Short mmCIF file of all heavy atoms in Angstrom, two decimals:
data_model
loop_
_atom_site.label_atom_id
_atom_site.label_comp_id
_atom_site.label_asym_id
_atom_site.label_seq_id
_atom_site.Cartn_x
_atom_site.Cartn_y
_atom_site.Cartn_z
N LYS O 1 -168.04 -23.62 72.03
CA LYS O 1 -167.64 -23.16 70.73
C LYS O 1 -167.64 -21.63 70.64
O LYS O 1 -166.83 -21.03 69.88
CB LYS O 1 -168.59 -23.68 69.59
CG LYS O 1 -168.10 -23.44 68.19
CD LYS O 1 -166.83 -24.34 67.88
CE LYS O 1 -166.44 -24.16 66.44
NZ LYS O 1 -165.21 -24.92 66.11
N SER O 2 -168.43 -20.99 71.50
CA SER O 2 -168.42 -19.52 71.49
C SER O 2 -167.20 -18.95 72.12
O SER O 2 -166.89 -17.77 72.03
CB SER O 2 -169.70 -19.05 72.27
OG SER O 2 -169.60 -19.31 73.62
N ILE O 3 -166.46 -19.81 72.90
CA ILE O 3 -165.23 -19.28 73.58
C ILE O 3 -163.97 -20.06 73.18
O ILE O 3 -162.86 -19.70 73.50
CB ILE O 3 -165.40 -19.34 75.07
CG1 ILE O 3 -165.68 -20.78 75.63
CG2 ILE O 3 -166.50 -18.41 75.58
CD1 ILE O 3 -165.61 -20.92 77.12
N TYR O 4 -164.11 -21.18 72.40
CA TYR O 4 -162.99 -22.07 72.12
C TYR O 4 -163.18 -22.81 70.82
O TYR O 4 -164.31 -23.25 70.53
CB TYR O 4 -162.88 -23.00 73.27
CG TYR O 4 -161.63 -23.92 73.22
CD1 TYR O 4 -160.36 -23.41 73.26
CD2 TYR O 4 -161.74 -25.32 73.18
CE1 TYR O 4 -159.22 -24.26 73.22
CE2 TYR O 4 -160.63 -26.12 73.09
CZ TYR O 4 -159.35 -25.63 73.14
OH TYR O 4 -158.27 -26.41 73.12
N ASP O 5 -162.10 -22.92 70.05
CA ASP O 5 -162.27 -23.48 68.69
C ASP O 5 -161.99 -25.01 68.62
O ASP O 5 -162.62 -25.66 67.73
CB ASP O 5 -161.27 -22.78 67.72
CG ASP O 5 -161.86 -21.50 67.14
OD1 ASP O 5 -163.12 -21.42 67.25
OD2 ASP O 5 -161.10 -20.64 66.75
N LYS O 6 -161.18 -25.54 69.38
CA LYS O 6 -160.72 -26.94 69.25
C LYS O 6 -161.67 -27.89 69.91
O LYS O 6 -161.39 -28.61 70.88
CB LYS O 6 -159.27 -27.14 69.69
CG LYS O 6 -158.29 -26.42 68.89
CD LYS O 6 -156.84 -26.67 69.31
CE LYS O 6 -156.34 -28.08 68.96
NZ LYS O 6 -154.88 -28.19 69.16
N ILE O 7 -162.86 -27.91 69.36
CA ILE O 7 -163.97 -28.71 69.98
C ILE O 7 -164.83 -29.29 68.84
O ILE O 7 -165.04 -28.63 67.84
CB ILE O 7 -164.77 -27.85 70.93
CG1 ILE O 7 -165.84 -28.64 71.64
CG2 ILE O 7 -165.46 -26.63 70.19
CD1 ILE O 7 -166.42 -27.94 72.88
N GLU O 8 -165.25 -30.54 69.04
CA GLU O 8 -166.08 -31.12 68.02
C GLU O 8 -167.07 -32.12 68.83
O GLU O 8 -166.95 -32.20 69.94
CB GLU O 8 -165.32 -31.91 67.02
CG GLU O 8 -164.33 -32.96 67.57
CD GLU O 8 -163.47 -33.58 66.46
OE1 GLU O 8 -164.00 -34.34 65.67
OE2 GLU O 8 -162.27 -33.24 66.39
N PHE O 9 -168.01 -32.62 68.03
CA PHE O 9 -169.00 -33.48 68.70
C PHE O 9 -169.09 -34.87 68.01
O PHE O 9 -168.64 -34.99 66.84
CB PHE O 9 -170.39 -32.82 68.71
CG PHE O 9 -171.07 -32.72 67.36
CD1 PHE O 9 -171.90 -33.75 66.89
CD2 PHE O 9 -170.96 -31.56 66.61
CE1 PHE O 9 -172.50 -33.67 65.61
CE2 PHE O 9 -171.58 -31.45 65.39
CZ PHE O 9 -172.36 -32.52 64.87
N TYR O 10 -169.64 -35.82 68.70
CA TYR O 10 -169.73 -37.20 68.23
C TYR O 10 -171.10 -37.72 68.70
O TYR O 10 -171.38 -37.69 69.88
CB TYR O 10 -168.60 -38.08 68.76
CG TYR O 10 -168.54 -39.44 68.11
CD1 TYR O 10 -167.68 -39.68 67.02
CD2 TYR O 10 -169.37 -40.47 68.55
CE1 TYR O 10 -167.61 -40.91 66.44
CE2 TYR O 10 -169.29 -41.72 67.94
CZ TYR O 10 -168.44 -41.98 66.87
OH TYR O 10 -168.37 -43.15 66.32
N ILE O 11 -171.83 -38.24 67.70
CA ILE O 11 -173.13 -38.96 68.01
C ILE O 11 -173.04 -40.35 67.45
O ILE O 11 -172.77 -40.59 66.30
CB ILE O 11 -174.33 -38.27 67.30
CG1 ILE O 11 -174.38 -36.83 67.75
CG2 ILE O 11 -175.61 -39.02 67.59
CD1 ILE O 11 -174.86 -36.55 69.13
N PRO O 12 -173.13 -41.42 68.30
CA PRO O 12 -173.08 -42.79 67.81
C PRO O 12 -174.21 -43.07 66.84
O PRO O 12 -175.29 -42.54 67.00
CB PRO O 12 -173.14 -43.67 69.04
CG PRO O 12 -173.90 -42.79 70.03
CD PRO O 12 -173.49 -41.35 69.73
N HIS O 13 -173.94 -43.97 65.85
CA HIS O 13 -174.96 -44.32 64.94
C HIS O 13 -175.84 -45.48 65.60
O HIS O 13 -175.34 -46.44 66.06
CB HIS O 13 -174.35 -44.88 63.61
CG HIS O 13 -175.35 -44.95 62.49
ND1 HIS O 13 -176.22 -45.99 62.37
CD2 HIS O 13 -175.56 -44.09 61.47
CE1 HIS O 13 -176.96 -45.76 61.30
NE2 HIS O 13 -176.60 -44.65 60.67
N ARG O 14 -177.16 -45.27 65.51
CA ARG O 14 -178.11 -46.15 66.19
C ARG O 14 -177.86 -47.63 65.76
O ARG O 14 -177.88 -48.53 66.60
CB ARG O 14 -179.51 -45.75 65.86
CG ARG O 14 -180.59 -46.62 66.44
CD ARG O 14 -181.99 -46.22 65.91
NE ARG O 14 -183.02 -47.00 66.49
CZ ARG O 14 -183.71 -46.66 67.55
NH1 ARG O 14 -183.48 -45.53 68.14
NH2 ARG O 14 -184.65 -47.52 68.01
N PHE O 15 -177.64 -47.87 64.49
CA PHE O 15 -177.61 -49.25 63.99
C PHE O 15 -176.26 -49.88 64.09
O PHE O 15 -176.12 -51.07 64.41
CB PHE O 15 -178.13 -49.31 62.54
CG PHE O 15 -179.56 -48.81 62.40
CD1 PHE O 15 -179.78 -47.62 61.77
CD2 PHE O 15 -180.57 -49.44 63.01
CE1 PHE O 15 -181.11 -47.10 61.63
CE2 PHE O 15 -181.91 -48.94 62.91
CZ PHE O 15 -182.15 -47.80 62.27
N SER O 16 -175.17 -49.12 63.84
CA SER O 16 -173.87 -49.73 63.79
C SER O 16 -173.13 -49.63 65.16
O SER O 16 -172.20 -50.42 65.46
CB SER O 16 -172.96 -49.03 62.71
OG SER O 16 -172.82 -47.68 63.03
N GLU O 17 -173.59 -48.72 66.03
CA GLU O 17 -172.92 -48.58 67.34
C GLU O 17 -173.85 -48.77 68.55
O GLU O 17 -173.38 -49.20 69.59
CB GLU O 17 -172.33 -47.14 67.46
CG GLU O 17 -171.18 -46.89 66.47
CD GLU O 17 -170.73 -45.50 66.48
OE1 GLU O 17 -170.06 -45.06 67.44
OE2 GLU O 17 -171.11 -44.70 65.55
N GLY O 18 -175.11 -48.48 68.45
CA GLY O 18 -176.04 -48.68 69.51
C GLY O 18 -176.03 -47.53 70.45
O GLY O 18 -175.37 -46.52 70.27
N TYR O 19 -176.66 -47.79 71.59
CA TYR O 19 -176.88 -46.74 72.63
C TYR O 19 -175.60 -46.42 73.40
O TYR O 19 -174.85 -47.35 73.76
CB TYR O 19 -178.00 -47.16 73.59
CG TYR O 19 -178.15 -46.25 74.77
CD1 TYR O 19 -178.84 -45.07 74.64
CD2 TYR O 19 -177.60 -46.55 76.00
CE1 TYR O 19 -179.00 -44.19 75.65
CE2 TYR O 19 -177.73 -45.70 77.05
CZ TYR O 19 -178.45 -44.53 76.91
OH TYR O 19 -178.57 -43.70 77.96
N GLY O 20 -175.43 -45.17 73.76
CA GLY O 20 -174.37 -44.80 74.74
C GLY O 20 -172.98 -44.74 74.14
O GLY O 20 -172.79 -44.69 72.93
N VAL O 21 -172.02 -44.80 75.05
CA VAL O 21 -170.62 -44.69 74.65
C VAL O 21 -170.25 -45.97 73.90
O VAL O 21 -170.53 -47.08 74.33
CB VAL O 21 -169.71 -44.48 75.88
CG1 VAL O 21 -168.18 -44.50 75.49
CG2 VAL O 21 -170.02 -43.21 76.65
N SER O 22 -169.59 -45.80 72.74
CA SER O 22 -169.25 -46.95 71.88
C SER O 22 -167.75 -47.13 71.79
O SER O 22 -166.95 -46.18 71.88
CB SER O 22 -169.92 -46.77 70.51
OG SER O 22 -169.25 -45.72 69.78
N GLN O 23 -167.34 -48.35 71.43
CA GLN O 23 -165.94 -48.61 71.13
C GLN O 23 -165.48 -47.76 69.94
O GLN O 23 -164.38 -47.18 69.99
CB GLN O 23 -165.80 -50.08 70.76
CG GLN O 23 -164.36 -50.50 70.41
CD GLN O 23 -163.50 -50.81 71.59
OE1 GLN O 23 -164.01 -51.28 72.59
NE2 GLN O 23 -162.23 -50.52 71.48
N LYS O 24 -166.30 -47.63 68.97
CA LYS O 24 -165.98 -46.78 67.77
C LYS O 24 -165.77 -45.34 68.16
O LYS O 24 -164.83 -44.72 67.63
CB LYS O 24 -167.05 -46.99 66.70
CG LYS O 24 -166.73 -46.29 65.39
CD LYS O 24 -167.88 -46.56 64.40
CE LYS O 24 -167.59 -45.83 63.05
NZ LYS O 24 -168.75 -45.96 62.15
N GLY O 25 -166.61 -44.87 69.04
CA GLY O 25 -166.53 -43.47 69.47
C GLY O 25 -165.17 -43.18 70.25
O GLY O 25 -164.54 -42.17 69.98
N ILE O 26 -164.87 -44.12 71.14
CA ILE O 26 -163.55 -43.96 71.84
C ILE O 26 -162.38 -44.07 70.89
O ILE O 26 -161.41 -43.30 71.01
CB ILE O 26 -163.40 -45.03 72.98
CG1 ILE O 26 -164.57 -44.81 73.99
CG2 ILE O 26 -162.07 -44.88 73.64
CD1 ILE O 26 -164.60 -43.56 74.73
N GLN O 27 -162.45 -45.02 69.95
CA GLN O 27 -161.37 -45.16 68.98
C GLN O 27 -161.20 -43.89 68.15
O GLN O 27 -160.10 -43.51 67.83
CB GLN O 27 -161.63 -46.38 68.07
CG GLN O 27 -160.41 -46.81 67.27
CD GLN O 27 -159.21 -47.12 68.14
OE1 GLN O 27 -159.31 -47.96 69.07
NE2 GLN O 27 -158.07 -46.47 67.84
N TYR O 28 -162.36 -43.28 67.77
CA TYR O 28 -162.32 -42.04 67.06
C TYR O 28 -161.54 -40.96 67.85
O TYR O 28 -160.68 -40.26 67.33
CB TYR O 28 -163.73 -41.52 66.74
CG TYR O 28 -163.78 -40.13 66.11
CD1 TYR O 28 -163.66 -39.99 64.75
CD2 TYR O 28 -163.94 -38.99 66.89
CE1 TYR O 28 -163.63 -38.70 64.15
CE2 TYR O 28 -163.94 -37.75 66.33
CZ TYR O 28 -163.82 -37.59 64.99
OH TYR O 28 -163.83 -36.37 64.40
N ALA O 29 -161.84 -40.90 69.14
CA ALA O 29 -161.15 -39.92 70.03
C ALA O 29 -159.70 -40.18 70.05
O ALA O 29 -158.86 -39.25 70.01
CB ALA O 29 -161.77 -39.94 71.40
N ILE O 30 -159.29 -41.43 70.14
CA ILE O 30 -157.83 -41.84 70.18
C ILE O 30 -157.19 -41.40 68.83
O ILE O 30 -156.14 -40.77 68.86
CB ILE O 30 -157.70 -43.29 70.41
CG1 ILE O 30 -158.20 -43.74 71.82
CG2 ILE O 30 -156.24 -43.80 70.23
CD1 ILE O 30 -158.31 -45.17 72.07
N ASP O 31 -157.81 -41.76 67.75
CA ASP O 31 -157.28 -41.50 66.41
C ASP O 31 -157.15 -39.99 66.15
O ASP O 31 -156.23 -39.55 65.44
CB ASP O 31 -158.14 -42.11 65.30
CG ASP O 31 -158.10 -43.65 65.35
OD1 ASP O 31 -157.20 -44.18 66.02
OD2 ASP O 31 -159.01 -44.20 64.79
N GLU O 32 -158.04 -39.21 66.73
CA GLU O 32 -158.05 -37.75 66.49
C GLU O 32 -157.28 -36.96 67.60
O GLU O 32 -157.36 -35.70 67.60
CB GLU O 32 -159.45 -37.25 66.44
CG GLU O 32 -160.28 -37.77 65.26
CD GLU O 32 -159.73 -37.30 63.91
OE1 GLU O 32 -159.40 -36.09 63.77
OE2 GLU O 32 -159.60 -38.12 63.03
#
């Protein structure tokens, strides 16, 4: 972020997504 603006972060929700890379997280990346 100190050198580039088009960056964001994603943390899965413990209860609705569980541990690690999630389907919802990948879908978010696709949609965005």
Side-chain angles (χ1 to χ4, degrees):
K1 190 69 175 176
S2 72
I3 58 172
Y4 185 62
D5 276 339
K6 293 183 75 171
I7 185 164
E8 55 186 288
F9 70 87
Y10 189 97
I11 303 288
H13 196 281
R14 179 188 181 94
F15 302 111
S16 62
E17 294 174 75
Y19 172 80
V21 178
S22 69
Q23 179 82 32
K24 186 177 176 183
I26 299 297
Q27 193 57 54
Y28 174 84
I30 294 167
D31 294 343
E32 294 296 315

